[in-house]
Amino acid sequence: MSETKQPGWFGRLFGRKAETPTETPAETPAEVPAESPDPAVTMPTEPTGTLSEGVPDFATGADDVLPAPPTVTDASPETEPEHDLPDELAGADLEPVEGVQPEGLAPAAPEPEADEAPEPEVRESEVRDPGIPAEPDSLVIYQPPAEPEAPAEKRSWWGRLTGGLKRTSSALSDRVTGLFTKRKLDADTLEELEDALIQADFGLETATRIAEAVGKGRYEKGIAPDEVRAILATEVERALDPVAQPLVIDTTKKPFVILMIGVNGAGKTTTIGKLTQKFRAQGHSVMLAAGDTFRAAAIEQLRVWGERTGAPVVARPQGSDAAGLAYDALQAARDAGTDILLIDTAGRLQNKAGLMAELEKVIRVIRKLDAETPHAVLLVLDATVGQNALSQVEIFQKTAGVTGLVMTKLDGTARGGILVALAAKFGLPVHFIGVGEGVDDLEPFAARDFARAIAGLDKG
Ligand SMILES: Nc1nc2c(ncn2[C@@H]2O[C@H](COP(=O)(O)OP(=O)(O)O)[C@@H](O)[C@H]2O)c(=O)[nH]1
Ligand SMILES: [Mg+2]
Protein backbone atom coordinates (compact mmCIF):
# COMPACT_ATOMS: atom_id res chain seq x y z
CA MET A 1 0.00 0.00 0.00
CA SER A 2 1.30 3.43 -0.77
CA GLU A 3 1.46 6.27 1.73
CA THR A 4 -1.18 8.09 -0.23
CA LYS A 5 -3.75 9.81 1.88
CA GLN A 6 -7.07 8.44 0.78
CA PRO A 7 -10.22 10.49 1.08
CA GLY A 8 -12.91 9.30 3.50
CA TRP A 9 -15.77 7.11 2.44
CA PHE A 10 -17.99 10.03 1.53
CA GLY A 11 -15.11 11.58 -0.31
CA ARG A 12 -14.80 8.49 -2.43
CA LEU A 13 -18.54 8.31 -2.88
CA PHE A 14 -18.57 11.80 -4.26
CA GLY A 15 -15.56 11.28 -6.38
CA ARG A 16 -12.92 13.08 -4.35
CA LYS A 17 -9.52 11.84 -5.35
CA ALA A 18 -6.65 10.95 -3.14
CA GLU A 19 -4.82 14.05 -2.02
CA THR A 20 -1.48 12.93 -3.31
CA PRO A 21 -1.46 11.63 -6.82
CA THR A 22 -0.89 7.96 -6.44
CA GLU A 23 1.53 6.01 -8.49
CA THR A 24 0.25 2.66 -7.42
CA PRO A 25 -0.28 0.88 -10.69
CA ALA A 26 -2.62 -1.67 -9.13
CA GLU A 27 -5.14 1.08 -8.61
CA THR A 28 -5.40 2.18 -12.15
CA PRO A 29 -8.64 1.21 -13.80
CA ALA A 30 -6.85 -0.90 -16.38
CA GLU A 31 -5.68 -3.30 -13.69
CA VAL A 32 -9.10 -3.84 -12.28
CA PRO A 33 -11.37 -6.63 -13.53
CA ALA A 34 -13.00 -5.16 -16.60
CA GLU A 35 -16.37 -4.42 -15.17
CA SER A 36 -18.20 -1.47 -16.53
CA PRO A 37 -21.14 0.18 -14.85
CA ASP A 38 -23.91 -2.28 -15.39
CA PRO A 39 -26.46 -1.32 -18.02
CA ALA A 40 -28.99 -3.45 -16.23
CA VAL A 41 -28.93 -1.20 -13.22
CA THR A 42 -29.91 1.90 -15.04
CA MET A 43 -33.57 1.97 -15.59
CA PRO A 44 -34.74 0.62 -18.87
CA THR A 45 -37.74 2.37 -20.33
CA GLU A 46 -38.75 -0.71 -22.23
CA PRO A 47 -38.90 -4.23 -20.93
CA THR A 48 -35.38 -5.61 -20.79
CA GLY A 49 -36.27 -9.24 -20.38
CA THR A 50 -37.36 -11.49 -23.12
CA LEU A 51 -40.03 -14.08 -22.97
CA SER A 52 -38.87 -17.00 -24.98
CA GLU A 53 -41.02 -20.06 -24.64
CA GLY A 54 -42.04 -19.03 -21.18
CA VAL A 55 -38.53 -19.13 -19.81
CA PRO A 56 -36.96 -15.90 -18.70
CA ASP A 57 -33.69 -15.04 -20.24
CA PHE A 58 -31.59 -14.42 -17.20
CA ALA A 59 -28.66 -13.83 -19.41
CA THR A 60 -29.90 -10.62 -20.95
CA GLY A 61 -27.84 -7.49 -20.97
CA ALA A 62 -24.68 -7.68 -18.96
CA ASP A 63 -25.54 -11.04 -17.57
CA ASP A 64 -24.21 -12.92 -20.53
CA VAL A 65 -20.80 -11.44 -20.15
CA LEU A 66 -19.18 -12.75 -17.07
CA PRO A 67 -16.67 -10.41 -15.54
CA ALA A 68 -13.19 -11.73 -15.19
CA PRO A 69 -12.83 -14.06 -12.23
CA PRO A 70 -12.29 -12.14 -9.03
CA THR A 71 -8.69 -11.19 -8.67
CA VAL A 72 -8.87 -9.82 -5.18
CA THR A 73 -8.65 -12.93 -3.11
CA ASP A 74 -5.86 -12.25 -0.75
CA ALA A 75 -6.36 -8.53 -0.20
CA SER A 76 -7.14 -8.03 3.41
CA PRO A 77 -10.34 -6.03 3.76
CA GLU A 78 -9.25 -4.94 7.19
CA THR A 79 -6.73 -2.67 5.61
CA GLU A 80 -7.97 -1.94 2.14
CA PRO A 81 -11.56 -2.92 1.60
CA GLU A 82 -12.30 0.02 -0.64
CA HIS A 83 -9.69 -0.51 -3.26
CA ASP A 84 -11.25 -3.33 -5.18
CA LEU A 85 -12.46 -0.80 -7.69
CA PRO A 86 -11.28 2.54 -8.93
CA ASP A 87 -13.15 5.55 -7.60
CA GLU A 88 -15.02 5.86 -10.85
CA LEU A 89 -16.56 2.44 -10.47
CA ALA A 90 -17.05 2.21 -6.76
CA GLY A 91 -20.73 2.49 -5.95
CA ALA A 92 -21.58 2.56 -9.65
CA ASP A 93 -24.90 0.95 -8.83
CA LEU A 94 -25.87 4.02 -6.90
CA GLU A 95 -25.57 6.19 -9.95
CA PRO A 96 -28.82 8.07 -10.27
CA VAL A 97 -31.09 7.48 -13.19
CA GLU A 98 -30.96 10.28 -15.73
CA GLY A 99 -28.75 12.42 -13.58
CA VAL A 100 -31.13 12.64 -10.67
CA GLN A 101 -29.32 12.68 -7.37
CA PRO A 102 -30.78 9.90 -5.23
CA GLU A 103 -32.51 11.27 -2.18
CA GLY A 104 -30.48 11.34 0.95
CA LEU A 105 -27.16 10.85 -0.73
CA ALA A 106 -26.07 14.43 -0.36
CA PRO A 107 -23.85 14.73 2.67
CA ALA A 108 -25.74 16.50 5.43
CA ALA A 109 -22.65 17.84 7.13
CA PRO A 110 -19.28 19.02 5.91
CA GLU A 111 -17.15 16.07 5.08
CA PRO A 112 -14.62 15.03 7.63
CA GLU A 113 -11.00 15.61 6.76
CA ALA A 114 -9.46 12.69 5.02
CA ASP A 115 -7.19 11.84 7.89
CA GLU A 116 -10.07 11.95 10.33
CA ALA A 117 -12.27 9.80 8.18
CA PRO A 118 -13.92 7.17 10.34
CA GLU A 119 -12.58 3.81 9.45
CA PRO A 120 -15.02 0.96 9.74
CA GLU A 121 -14.78 -0.88 12.98
CA VAL A 122 -13.78 -4.32 12.01
CA ARG A 123 -14.37 -7.49 13.90
CA GLU A 124 -13.07 -10.93 13.08
CA SER A 125 -15.28 -13.92 13.45
CA GLU A 126 -14.29 -17.36 14.46
CA VAL A 127 -14.86 -20.40 12.36
CA ARG A 128 -17.95 -21.99 13.77
CA ASP A 129 -18.61 -24.87 11.51
CA PRO A 130 -15.70 -26.73 10.05
CA GLY A 131 -18.05 -28.02 7.37
CA ILE A 132 -18.47 -24.54 5.93
CA PRO A 133 -15.74 -23.36 3.63
CA ALA A 134 -15.01 -20.15 5.48
CA GLU A 135 -12.12 -17.74 5.29
CA PRO A 136 -12.12 -16.53 8.86
CA ASP A 137 -9.47 -13.90 8.30
CA SER A 138 -11.43 -12.15 5.64
CA LEU A 139 -14.81 -11.82 7.32
CA VAL A 140 -15.52 -8.23 8.21
CA ILE A 141 -18.40 -6.56 9.96
CA TYR A 142 -18.64 -2.92 8.96
CA GLN A 143 -20.11 -1.02 11.86
CA PRO A 144 -22.23 1.99 10.94
CA PRO A 145 -21.39 5.41 12.34
CA ALA A 146 -22.88 6.12 15.74
CA GLU A 147 -25.32 8.55 14.22
CA PRO A 148 -26.46 7.60 10.76
CA GLU A 149 -27.55 10.31 8.37
CA ALA A 150 -30.81 12.01 9.14
CA PRO A 151 -33.51 10.79 6.80
CA ALA A 152 -34.27 13.08 3.91
CA GLU A 153 -37.25 15.36 4.13
CA LYS A 154 -40.48 13.44 3.77
CA ARG A 155 -42.94 13.82 0.95
CA SER A 156 -46.24 12.10 1.49
CA TRP A 157 -46.44 8.53 0.31
CA TRP A 158 -49.55 9.31 -1.69
CA GLY A 159 -47.62 12.02 -3.50
CA ARG A 160 -44.76 9.68 -4.25
CA LEU A 161 -47.09 6.84 -5.21
CA THR A 162 -49.14 8.90 -7.67
CA GLY A 163 -45.97 10.52 -8.99
CA GLY A 164 -44.38 7.10 -9.40
CA LEU A 165 -47.40 5.54 -11.09
CA LYS A 166 -47.87 8.53 -13.37
CA ARG A 167 -46.66 6.77 -16.48
CA THR A 168 -49.14 3.95 -16.10
CA SER A 169 -52.02 6.11 -14.93
CA SER A 170 -51.64 8.78 -17.58
CA ALA A 171 -51.29 6.21 -20.35
CA LEU A 172 -54.53 4.64 -19.17
CA SER A 173 -56.24 7.90 -18.40
CA ASP A 174 -55.53 9.33 -21.83
CA ARG A 175 -57.00 6.28 -23.47
CA VAL A 176 -60.05 6.33 -21.23
CA THR A 177 -60.65 10.02 -21.90
CA GLY A 178 -60.21 9.50 -25.62
CA LEU A 179 -62.47 6.49 -25.70
CA PHE A 180 -65.32 7.55 -23.53
CA THR A 181 -65.73 11.25 -24.17
CA LYS A 182 -69.02 11.84 -25.93
CA ARG A 183 -69.31 8.39 -27.26
CA LYS A 184 -71.81 5.64 -26.94
CA LEU A 185 -70.59 2.51 -25.36
CA ASP A 186 -70.35 -0.27 -27.90
CA ALA A 187 -68.36 -3.43 -28.43
CA ASP A 188 -65.57 -1.57 -30.27
CA THR A 189 -65.05 0.89 -27.46
CA LEU A 190 -64.88 -1.90 -24.92
CA GLU A 191 -62.43 -3.80 -27.05
CA GLU A 192 -60.22 -0.76 -27.24
CA LEU A 193 -60.39 -0.41 -23.49
CA GLU A 194 -59.40 -4.03 -23.17
CA ASP A 195 -56.45 -3.38 -25.48
CA ALA A 196 -55.33 -0.43 -23.39
CA LEU A 197 -55.41 -2.58 -20.27
CA ILE A 198 -53.50 -5.39 -21.94
CA GLN A 199 -50.89 -2.88 -23.05
CA ALA A 200 -50.53 -1.84 -19.42
CA ASP A 201 -49.82 -5.51 -18.64
CA PHE A 202 -53.00 -6.22 -16.70
CA GLY A 203 -53.24 -9.58 -18.41
CA LEU A 204 -56.02 -10.80 -20.63
CA GLU A 205 -58.20 -12.21 -17.89
CA THR A 206 -58.30 -9.04 -15.81
CA ALA A 207 -58.56 -6.78 -18.85
CA THR A 208 -61.61 -8.69 -20.02
CA ARG A 209 -63.20 -8.58 -16.61
CA ILE A 210 -62.72 -4.83 -16.31
CA ALA A 211 -64.10 -4.20 -19.78
CA GLU A 212 -67.12 -6.34 -18.96
CA ALA A 213 -67.69 -4.47 -15.74
CA VAL A 214 -67.61 -1.18 -17.63
CA GLY A 215 -70.03 -2.50 -20.25
CA LYS A 216 -72.49 -4.06 -17.88
CA GLY A 217 -75.95 -2.54 -18.39
CA ARG A 218 -74.51 0.43 -20.25
CA TYR A 219 -74.58 -0.63 -23.87
CA GLU A 220 -75.68 2.10 -26.23
CA LYS A 221 -75.61 4.64 -23.41
CA GLY A 222 -72.93 7.12 -22.67
CA ILE A 223 -70.49 6.74 -19.81
CA ALA A 224 -68.29 9.49 -18.45
CA PRO A 225 -64.54 8.89 -18.32
CA ASP A 226 -64.62 9.40 -14.56
CA GLU A 227 -67.12 6.60 -14.21
CA VAL A 228 -64.84 4.32 -16.18
CA ARG A 229 -61.95 5.26 -13.90
CA ALA A 230 -64.04 4.48 -10.84
CA ILE A 231 -64.94 1.04 -12.20
CA LEU A 232 -61.30 0.44 -13.10
CA ALA A 233 -60.23 1.34 -9.57
CA THR A 234 -62.85 -0.92 -8.03
CA GLU A 235 -61.85 -3.88 -10.16
CA VAL A 236 -58.13 -3.39 -9.61
CA GLU A 237 -58.65 -3.11 -5.88
CA ARG A 238 -60.74 -6.26 -5.90
CA ALA A 239 -58.00 -8.14 -7.75
CA LEU A 240 -55.22 -6.89 -5.48
CA ASP A 241 -56.88 -6.93 -2.11
CA PRO A 242 -56.17 -10.60 -1.40
CA VAL A 243 -52.43 -10.22 -2.08
CA ALA A 244 -51.85 -6.96 -0.24
CA GLN A 245 -50.45 -8.48 2.92
CA PRO A 246 -47.97 -6.88 5.25
CA LEU A 247 -44.68 -8.58 6.00
CA VAL A 248 -45.05 -9.71 9.57
CA ILE A 249 -41.84 -9.82 11.56
CA ASP A 250 -42.00 -12.53 14.18
CA THR A 251 -40.10 -10.92 17.02
CA THR A 252 -39.73 -14.23 18.82
CA LYS A 253 -37.19 -15.16 16.15
CA LYS A 254 -33.83 -13.64 16.82
CA PRO A 255 -32.87 -12.85 14.25
CA PHE A 256 -35.83 -12.95 11.92
CA VAL A 257 -34.07 -13.89 8.70
CA ILE A 258 -35.14 -12.41 5.39
CA LEU A 259 -33.54 -13.69 2.21
CA MET A 260 -33.75 -11.30 -0.71
CA ILE A 261 -33.71 -12.89 -4.13
CA GLY A 262 -34.25 -11.85 -7.73
CA VAL A 263 -32.42 -11.35 -10.98
CA ASN A 264 -29.64 -8.85 -11.32
CA GLY A 265 -30.77 -5.25 -11.33
CA ALA A 266 -34.22 -6.00 -9.93
CA GLY A 267 -33.57 -3.76 -6.94
CA LYS A 268 -32.64 -6.22 -4.19
CA THR A 269 -29.85 -4.23 -2.61
CA THR A 270 -31.73 -0.94 -2.84
CA THR A 271 -34.80 -2.56 -1.32
CA ILE A 272 -32.68 -3.92 1.53
CA GLY A 273 -31.54 -0.36 2.23
CA LYS A 274 -35.09 0.96 2.16
CA LEU A 275 -36.36 -1.86 4.38
CA THR A 276 -33.54 -1.35 6.84
CA GLN A 277 -34.53 2.27 7.21
CA LYS A 278 -38.12 1.20 7.91
CA PHE A 279 -37.26 -1.55 10.35
CA ARG A 280 -34.87 0.71 12.24
CA ALA A 281 -37.51 3.42 12.43
CA GLN A 282 -39.81 0.80 13.96
CA GLY A 283 -37.20 0.17 16.62
CA HIS A 284 -35.75 -3.10 15.32
CA SER A 285 -32.05 -3.74 15.18
CA VAL A 286 -30.95 -4.87 11.75
CA MET A 287 -27.89 -6.59 10.33
CA LEU A 288 -27.10 -6.96 6.65
CA ALA A 289 -25.27 -9.81 4.93
CA ALA A 290 -23.46 -8.89 1.72
CA GLY A 291 -24.35 -12.18 0.05
CA ASP A 292 -23.86 -10.83 -3.47
CA THR A 293 -20.21 -11.76 -3.37
CA PHE A 294 -20.01 -11.75 -7.12
CA ARG A 295 -18.99 -8.14 -7.55
CA ALA A 296 -17.00 -5.84 -5.31
CA ALA A 297 -19.33 -2.97 -6.21
CA ALA A 298 -22.30 -4.92 -4.89
CA ILE A 299 -20.61 -5.32 -1.52
CA GLU A 300 -19.71 -1.64 -1.46
CA GLN A 301 -23.26 -0.72 -2.37
CA LEU A 302 -24.67 -2.64 0.58
CA ARG A 303 -22.04 -1.16 2.82
CA VAL A 304 -23.15 2.35 1.87
CA TRP A 305 -26.73 1.44 2.67
CA GLY A 306 -25.64 0.04 6.02
CA GLU A 307 -23.81 3.25 6.75
CA ARG A 308 -26.77 5.39 5.72
CA THR A 309 -29.32 3.42 7.69
CA GLY A 310 -27.28 2.48 10.73
CA ALA A 311 -26.95 -1.26 10.23
CA PRO A 312 -23.78 -3.36 10.47
CA VAL A 313 -22.87 -5.13 7.26
CA VAL A 314 -21.24 -8.55 7.31
CA ALA A 315 -19.04 -9.01 4.28
CA ARG A 316 -16.29 -11.01 2.70
CA PRO A 317 -14.17 -10.12 -0.30
CA GLN A 318 -15.53 -10.45 -3.79
CA GLY A 319 -15.58 -14.04 -4.97
CA SER A 320 -16.13 -15.58 -1.54
CA ASP A 321 -18.66 -18.30 -0.99
CA ALA A 322 -22.08 -16.72 -0.53
CA ALA A 323 -23.48 -19.53 1.58
CA GLY A 324 -20.55 -19.40 3.99
CA LEU A 325 -20.99 -15.66 4.31
CA ALA A 326 -24.70 -16.04 5.02
CA TYR A 327 -23.88 -18.63 7.68
CA ASP A 328 -21.39 -16.34 9.37
CA ALA A 329 -23.80 -13.43 9.18
CA LEU A 330 -26.52 -15.47 10.88
CA GLN A 331 -24.09 -16.43 13.59
CA ALA A 332 -23.00 -12.82 14.01
CA ALA A 333 -26.61 -11.61 14.17
CA ARG A 334 -27.36 -14.22 16.80
CA ASP A 335 -24.33 -13.28 18.83
CA ALA A 336 -25.31 -9.63 18.68
CA GLY A 337 -28.96 -10.34 19.54
CA THR A 338 -30.06 -8.63 16.34
CA ASP A 339 -33.79 -8.57 15.55
CA ILE A 340 -33.65 -8.83 11.77
CA LEU A 341 -31.03 -10.19 9.39
CA LEU A 342 -31.42 -9.25 5.73
CA ILE A 343 -29.40 -11.40 3.35
CA ASP A 344 -28.55 -9.94 -0.05
CA THR A 345 -27.89 -12.36 -2.89
CA ALA A 346 -26.46 -12.27 -6.39
CA GLY A 347 -28.68 -12.40 -9.43
CA ARG A 348 -25.98 -12.25 -11.97
CA LEU A 349 -24.69 -15.75 -12.36
CA GLN A 350 -23.96 -16.91 -15.83
CA ASN A 351 -26.97 -19.09 -16.10
CA LYS A 352 -30.20 -19.91 -14.39
CA ALA A 353 -28.97 -23.24 -13.05
CA GLY A 354 -25.96 -21.65 -11.38
CA LEU A 355 -28.08 -18.97 -9.77
CA MET A 356 -30.58 -21.47 -8.45
CA ALA A 357 -27.88 -23.82 -7.15
CA GLU A 358 -26.32 -20.95 -5.24
CA LEU A 359 -29.64 -19.94 -3.68
CA GLU A 360 -30.38 -23.50 -2.67
CA LYS A 361 -26.99 -23.72 -1.07
CA VAL A 362 -27.47 -20.51 0.90
CA ILE A 363 -30.74 -21.84 2.29
CA ARG A 364 -29.29 -25.27 3.04
CA VAL A 365 -26.31 -23.84 4.85
CA ILE A 366 -28.14 -21.33 7.06
CA ARG A 367 -30.54 -24.12 8.01
CA LYS A 368 -27.60 -25.90 9.61
CA LEU A 369 -27.70 -23.15 12.20
CA ASP A 370 -31.44 -22.69 12.36
CA ALA A 371 -33.75 -25.08 10.57
CA GLU A 372 -36.55 -22.50 10.44
CA THR A 373 -34.57 -20.00 8.43
CA PRO A 374 -35.09 -18.15 6.22
CA HIS A 375 -38.30 -16.94 7.82
CA ALA A 376 -39.16 -14.93 4.74
CA VAL A 377 -37.96 -15.22 1.16
CA LEU A 378 -38.74 -12.04 -0.71
CA LEU A 379 -38.59 -12.10 -4.47
CA VAL A 380 -37.78 -8.65 -5.82
CA LEU A 381 -39.31 -7.99 -9.22
CA ASP A 382 -38.58 -5.10 -11.55
CA ALA A 383 -41.88 -3.84 -12.96
CA THR A 384 -40.15 -2.66 -16.13
CA VAL A 385 -39.49 -6.21 -17.31
CA GLY A 386 -43.22 -6.62 -17.89
CA GLN A 387 -44.49 -10.10 -18.56
CA ASN A 388 -41.07 -11.59 -17.86
CA ALA A 389 -41.86 -11.09 -14.17
CA LEU A 390 -44.37 -13.92 -14.42
CA SER A 391 -41.73 -16.45 -15.46
CA GLN A 392 -39.33 -15.17 -12.84
CA VAL A 393 -41.87 -15.90 -10.13
CA GLU A 394 -42.40 -19.41 -11.42
CA ILE A 395 -38.73 -20.26 -11.46
CA PHE A 396 -37.73 -18.68 -8.16
CA GLN A 397 -40.74 -20.15 -6.45
CA LYS A 398 -39.62 -23.65 -7.34
CA THR A 399 -36.11 -23.18 -6.04
CA ALA A 400 -36.28 -20.88 -3.10
CA GLY A 401 -39.86 -21.11 -1.90
CA VAL A 402 -40.83 -17.46 -2.34
CA THR A 403 -42.98 -16.25 0.57
CA GLY A 404 -43.70 -12.78 -0.75
CA LEU A 405 -43.03 -10.25 -3.48
CA VAL A 406 -41.60 -6.78 -3.65
CA MET A 407 -42.24 -4.91 -6.87
CA THR A 408 -39.78 -2.16 -7.69
CA LYS A 409 -39.51 0.54 -10.36
CA LEU A 410 -43.22 1.04 -10.81
CA ASP A 411 -42.14 4.61 -11.56
CA GLY A 412 -40.22 3.42 -14.58
CA THR A 413 -42.99 1.85 -16.57
CA ALA A 414 -46.36 2.53 -18.16
CA ARG A 415 -47.15 -1.10 -17.49
CA GLY A 416 -47.91 -1.10 -13.78
CA GLY A 417 -50.78 -3.48 -14.44
CA ILE A 418 -48.26 -6.31 -14.16
CA LEU A 419 -48.97 -6.40 -10.45
CA VAL A 420 -52.57 -7.25 -11.21
CA ALA A 421 -51.51 -10.00 -13.60
CA LEU A 422 -49.15 -11.42 -10.96
CA ALA A 423 -51.88 -11.39 -8.35
CA ALA A 424 -54.29 -13.16 -10.68
CA LYS A 425 -51.77 -15.82 -11.62
CA PHE A 426 -49.95 -16.61 -8.36
CA GLY A 427 -51.81 -15.03 -5.47
CA LEU A 428 -48.49 -14.55 -3.67
CA PRO A 429 -48.46 -11.83 -1.01
CA VAL A 430 -47.18 -8.49 -2.25
CA HIS A 431 -45.50 -6.88 0.72
CA PHE A 432 -43.94 -3.72 -0.65
CA ILE A 433 -43.78 -1.63 -3.78
CA GLY A 434 -41.02 0.73 -4.84
CA VAL A 435 -41.63 3.87 -6.83
CA GLY A 436 -38.20 5.48 -6.87
CA GLU A 437 -34.58 5.23 -5.84
CA GLY A 438 -34.82 7.21 -2.63
CA VAL A 439 -34.79 5.61 0.77
CA ASP A 440 -38.44 6.55 1.34
CA ASP A 441 -39.67 5.38 -2.04
CA LEU A 442 -40.87 2.04 -0.73
CA GLU A 443 -44.01 1.35 1.24
CA PRO A 444 -46.16 -1.57 2.26
CA PHE A 445 -48.49 -2.42 -0.55
CA ALA A 446 -52.02 -1.11 -0.12
CA ALA A 447 -54.51 -2.31 -2.76
CA ARG A 448 -56.88 0.63 -2.54
CA ASP A 449 -54.23 3.32 -2.82
CA PHE A 450 -52.56 1.53 -5.69
CA ALA A 451 -55.87 1.01 -7.51
CA ARG A 452 -56.92 4.64 -7.17
CA ALA A 453 -53.51 5.94 -8.15
CA ILE A 454 -53.34 3.74 -11.22
CA ALA A 455 -56.84 4.78 -12.26
CA GLY A 456 -55.88 8.44 -11.89
CA LEU A 457 -58.31 9.13 -9.04
CA ASP A 458 -57.85 11.10 -5.85
CA LYS A 459 -56.98 9.27 -2.67
CA GLY A 460 -60.68 9.09 -1.80
N1 LIG B 1 -36.62 4.25 -10.42
C1 LIG B 1 -36.39 3.26 -9.54
N2 LIG B 1 -35.19 2.72 -9.47
C2 LIG B 1 -34.99 1.73 -8.58
C3 LIG B 1 -36.02 1.25 -7.72
N3 LIG B 1 -35.49 0.25 -6.97
C4 LIG B 1 -34.21 0.12 -7.33
N4 LIG B 1 -33.90 1.00 -8.31
C5 LIG B 1 -32.63 1.18 -9.01
O1 LIG B 1 -32.37 0.02 -9.77
C6 LIG B 1 -30.97 -0.19 -9.89
C7 LIG B 1 -30.63 -1.61 -9.50
O2 LIG B 1 -30.90 -1.78 -8.13
P1 LIG B 1 -30.06 -2.77 -7.22
O3 LIG B 1 -30.64 -2.65 -5.85
O4 LIG B 1 -28.62 -2.56 -7.38
O5 LIG B 1 -30.48 -4.17 -7.87
P2 LIG B 1 -29.98 -5.63 -7.50
O6 LIG B 1 -29.01 -6.03 -8.56
O7 LIG B 1 -31.21 -6.50 -7.54
O8 LIG B 1 -29.39 -5.57 -6.14
C8 LIG B 1 -30.33 0.85 -9.01
O9 LIG B 1 -29.89 1.91 -9.81
C9 LIG B 1 -31.46 1.32 -8.11
O10 LIG B 1 -31.30 2.64 -7.67
C10 LIG B 1 -37.31 1.86 -7.83
O11 LIG B 1 -38.28 1.51 -7.15
N5 LIG B 1 -37.43 2.86 -8.77
MG1 LIG C 1 -27.53 -6.07 -5.56
Side-chain angles (χ1 to χ4, degrees):
M1 216 46 255
S2 73
E3 297 295 319
T4 307
K5 228 186 196 181
Q6 294 295 331
W9 169 242
F10 274 110
R12 286 190 299 281
L13 187 62
F14 292 101
R16 192 198 280 174
K17 299 285 177 227
E19 284 172 15
T20 318
T22 172
E23 282 146 33
T24 317
E27 293 191 7
T28 60
E31 296 281 334
V32 171
E35 204 178 85
S36 59
D38 182 359
V41 298
T42 58
M43 268 231 334
T45 49
E46 289 302 319
T48 50
T50 57
L51 184 62
S52 64
E53 297 163 359
V55 176
D57 180 5
F58 286 172
T60 50
D63 283 4
D64 57 357
V65 186
L66 267 183
T71 54
V72 193
T73 47
D74 57 354
S76 162
E78 282 88 347
T79 50
E80 44 179 5
E82 303 88 4
H83 303 314
D84 295 336
L85 281 183
D87 289 351
E88 293 77 8
L89 292 186
D93 282 356
L94 291 176
E95 287 260 315
V97 170
E98 287 167 10
V100 180
Q101 177 75 18
E103 239 176 75
L105 264 184
E111 291 181 27
E113 285 305 308
D115 50 0
E116 294 168 7
E119 282 304 318
E121 201 182 298
V122 163
R123 223 171 1 113
E124 286 190 13
S125 82
E126 308 129 26
V127 193
R128 293 174 186 89
D129 181 346
I132 308 290
E135 304 140 358
D137 292 340
S138 60
L139 187 78
V140 285
I141 302 180
Y142 297 105
Q143 297 296 343
E147 285 187 32
E149 286 174 58
E153 199 195 322
K154 286 229 168 186
R155 222 176 103 204
S156 84
W157 171 243
W158 176 253
R160 276 173 288 131
L161 178 67
T162 47
L165 291 176
K166 195 109 221 137
R167 293 176 65 178
T168 303
S169 65
S170 48
L172 278 177
S173 209
D174 291 354
R175 289 290 286 276
V176 167
T177 309
L179 279 174
F180 293 95
T181 304
K182 292 186 191 144
R183 243 172 96 172
K184 276 194 185 149
L185 199 65
D186 55 20
D188 284 351
T189 323
L190 289 179
E191 207 168 297
E192 282 186 55
L193 174 64
E194 206 178 301
D195 281 353
L197 294 168
I198 289 169
Q199 272 171 35
D201 269 344
F202 278 79
L204 181 62
E205 194 189 311
T206 310
T208 310
R209 205 182 53 242
I210 293 172
E212 274 170 7
V214 170
K216 212 170 171 187
R218 295 187 186 84
Y219 272 99
E220 300 304 318
K221 294 182 198 155
I223 180 170
D226 271 350
E227 254 181 285
V228 177
R229 284 186 196 107
I231 295 169
L232 174 63
T234 306
E235 291 298 323
V236 170
E237 184 181 346
R238 183 176 301 166
L240 292 176
D241 209 46
V243 299
Q245 294 167 31
L247 174 68
V248 179
I249 306 290
D250 182 348
T251 50
T252 64
K253 316 287 183 204
K254 274 209 192 278
F256 185 85
V257 178
I258 305 175
L259 183 68
M260 303 294 285
I261 62 174
V263 299
N264 182 53
K268 293 178 293 299
T269 308
T270 309
T271 300
I272 287 174
K274 293 168 173 177
L275 286 176
T276 304
Q277 175 98 343
K278 284 208 174 332
F279 294 150
R280 299 248 312 130
Q282 290 162 5
H284 297 298
S285 55
V286 181
M287 195 177 274
L288 308 180
D292 183 353
T293 51
F294 203 63
R295 280 185 315 151
I299 300 165
E300 294 291 318
Q301 186 189 2
L302 194 72
R303 205 183 114 178
V304 179
W305 277 110
E307 210 163 280
R308 287 173 68 183
T309 56
V313 177
V314 183
R316 281 186 185 281
Q318 178 191 19
S320 301
D321 178 58
L325 183 272
Y327 181 96
D328 281 330
L330 177 53
Q331 185 69 62
R334 269 187 173 184
D335 292 350
T338 305
D339 298 328
I340 300 171
L341 174 68
L342 284 154
I343 304 177
D344 198 6
T345 59
R348 175 194 282 271
L349 303 190
Q350 66 274 45
N351 59 45
K352 205 173 60 199
L355 172 60
M356 297 306 154
E358 170 152 321
L359 282 180
E360 276 169 352
K361 186 174 170 195
V362 168
I363 294 172
R364 205 169 57 237
V365 165
I366 58 173
R367 283 187 177 155
K368 289 186 183 184
L369 265 185
D370 181 346
E372 285 181 21
T373 56
H375 302 104
V377 179
L378 302 192
L379 174 60
V380 180
L381 294 170
D382 171 349
T384 66
V385 305
Q387 295 290 312
N388 190 263
L390 297 168
S391 353
Q392 290 182 12
V393 174
E394 248 161 35
I395 286 170
F396 278 101
Q397 205 175 8
K398 270 185 223 147
T399 312
V402 176
T403 62
L405 305 178
V406 177
M407 176 136 282
T408 64
K409 308 193 199 178
L410 279 160
D411 54 313
T413 176
R415 296 169 154 237
I418 187 63
L419 207 48
V420 180
L422 281 166
K425 181 150 187 201
F426 300 103
L428 276 168
V430 178
H431 295 311
F432 296 95
I433 55 169
V435 294
E437 293 184 288
V439 71
D440 290 321
D441 291 329
L442 182 94
E443 278 292 317
F445 178 58
R448 184 178 167 80
D449 284 357
F450 181 86
R452 293 190 69 86
I454 215 169
L457 296 177
D458 293 338
K459 194 163 191 307

